């Protein structure tokens, strides 16, 4: 169960955020409205939300998930692979330290963005991507093991982050997109295939029994409902333009 989340308001500078989506520039006003609805959805799941102020100098800073990993035993501040995002970490650190007395750090030459990390109980799958390298993943595994947790490296390609193509919905249910569907590391799960035209919805988020699903992806929404979950759609159109998914907008713990 999660009790808290940390989010950061989008900044007007989000218009120059990193993207390969080719969906045009986000509409800032609409993004703010969608962000408020995202916070409302977290509240509906029984979560207390800490809303951090905008960071104009960091266009991607609303995607707080990438800069820290919050586990039940410790917090880990990451070292983003994207050069324009490295400076975000010191700004999340204070918010994290308000809740965690022990905050570990990933150090250069290791890089790690927590969008590449998927938690399944006490185990953390770590995808190697353009943003997360093997040194970063190994540092994280060493930290996790010191706290009685575990981690493993996932080889992958063609995804921005691991959770661009996977979402664990608890109860052994895993949304899988593309190569992730037959990936040997995930054979033990009940895999629910996300079709190509609904790829963006492979990033959905389980929170306390409810699954947040991006709005506009009816097939996967139905599949998730058929598994017995309560669902809550959230319009993410403006964040999708920056390659940001539902999980990217919060740190949940
Ligand atoms: N625009 C989010 C990211 O690329 O990190």
């Amino acid at each position: 169960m999660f009790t808290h989340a940390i989010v950061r308001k989008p900044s007007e500078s989000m218009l120059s955020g990193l993207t390969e989506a080719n969906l045009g520039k986000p509409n800032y006003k609409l993004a703010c409205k969608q962000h408020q609805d995202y916070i409302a959805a977290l509240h509906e799941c029984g979560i207390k939300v800490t809303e951090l102020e905008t960071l104009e100098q960091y266009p991607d800073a609303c995607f707080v998930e990438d800069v820290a990993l919050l586990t039940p035993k410790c917090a880990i501040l990451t070292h983003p692979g994207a050069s324009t995002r490295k400076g975000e970490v010191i700004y999340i650190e204070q918010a994290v330290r308000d809740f965690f007395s022990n905050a570990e750090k990933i150090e250069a030459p290791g890089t790690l963005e927590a969008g590449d990390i998927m938690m399944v109980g006490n185990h953390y799958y770590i995808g190697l991507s353009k943003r997360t390298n093997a040194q970063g993943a190994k540092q994280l595994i060493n930290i996790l093991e010191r706290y009685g947790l575990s981690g493993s490296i996932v080889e992958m390609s063609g995804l921005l982050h691991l959770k661009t193509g996977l979402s664990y919905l608890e109860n052994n249910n895993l949304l899988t997109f593309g190569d992730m569907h037959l990936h040997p590391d995930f054979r033990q799960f009940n895999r629910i295939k996300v079709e190509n035209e609904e790829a963006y919805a492979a990033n959905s988020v389980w929170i306390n029994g409810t699954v947040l699903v991006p709005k506009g992806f009816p097939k996967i929404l139905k599949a998730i409902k058929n598994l017995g979950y309560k669902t809550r759609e959230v319009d993410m159109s403006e964040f999708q333009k920056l390659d940001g998914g539902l999980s990217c907008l919060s740190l949940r713990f």
Side-chain angles (χ1 to χ4, degrees):
M1 294 290 279
F2 296 109
T3 55
H4 286 83
I6 298 172
V7 303
R8 186 182 293 286
K9 288 181 190 166
S11 57
E12 287 192 55
S13 63
M14 76 182 290
L15 271 70
S16 42
L18 297 171
T19 183
E20 293 181 0
N22 219 5
L23 294 172
K25 293 275 180 205
N27 175 314
Y28 178 61
K29 266 199 173 160
L30 183 54
C32 291
K33 195 167 161 241
Q34 291 177 349
H35 198 255
Q36 284 303 309
D37 187 49
Y38 181 83
I39 292 171
L42 295 177
H43 283 144
E44 288 163 29
C45 297
I47 293 219
K48 270 193 174 169
V49 181
T50 300
E51 194 178 353
L52 305 176
E53 283 308 315
T54 57
L55 278 182
E56 284 299 335
Q57 67 274 42
Y58 293 106
D60 289 296
C62 62
F63 301 119
V64 284
E65 178 180 61
D66 292 318
V67 288
L69 176 70
L70 305 182
T71 81
K73 306 273 181 74
C74 65
I76 298 129
L77 298 160
T78 69
H79 184 229
S83 57
T84 56
R85 302 203 57 189
K86 291 185 196 296
E88 292 174 31
V89 178
I90 52 167
Y91 293 94
I92 206 73
E93 183 167 354
Q94 188 52 53
V96 165
R97 286 193 189 276
D98 286 346
F99 294 98
F100 289 81
S101 53
N102 42 0
E104 307 284 345
K105 287 186 179 173
I106 303 297
E107 312 275 2
T111 65
L112 186 93
E113 295 188 4
D116 279 315
I117 302 169
M118 183 177 75
M119 177 183 78
V120 178
N122 288 332
H123 188 77
Y124 293 77
Y125 290 93
I126 309 158
L128 296 186
S129 68
K130 285 183 189 156
R131 307 286 185 89
T132 294
N133 65 19
Q135 291 106 313
K138 283 179 192 154
Q139 285 180 38
L140 178 63
I141 292 170
N142 287 337
I143 294 168
L144 292 170
E145 288 179 351
R146 278 199 276 119
Y147 286 89
L149 305 168
S150 61
S152 58
I153 288 178
V154 179
E155 301 286 346
M156 59 181 217
S157 61
L159 295 173
L160 173 62
H161 286 130
L162 178 68
K163 281 186 295 194
T164 311
L166 278 180
S167 295
Y168 185 57
L169 304 184
E170 304 294 321
N171 304 313
N172 205 45
N173 293 319
L174 183 68
L175 298 186
T176 52
F177 168 69
D179 292 348
M180 289 293 135
H181 191 63
L182 296 177
H183 196 294
D185 292 8
F186 303 111
R187 282 201 183 123
Q188 71 272 34
F189 294 103
N190 175 37
R191 285 158 289 147
I192 300 107
K193 189 174 180 173
V194 180
E195 302 294 339
N196 284 351
E197 71 273 19
E198 296 205 344
Y200 179 70
N203 186 280
S204 292
V205 184
W206 178 96
I207 303 178
N208 302 343
T210 296
V211 180
L212 306 188
V213 185
K215 193 172 171 198
F217 302 93
K219 285 187 193 163
I220 203 65
L221 180 69
K222 190 168 173 222
I224 296 169
K225 281 183 197 281
N226 286 345
L227 289 167
Y229 294 102
K230 190 176 162 192
T231 56
R232 164 66 151 91
E233 284 184 280
V234 182
D235 193 345
M236 289 285 291
S237 64
E238 304 315 292
F239 299 99
Q240 185 178 5
K241 291 173 181 171
L242 297 181
D243 297 328
L246 278 167
S247 72
C248 312
L249 286 180
S250 61
L251 286 163
R252 303 159 298 281
F253 58 103

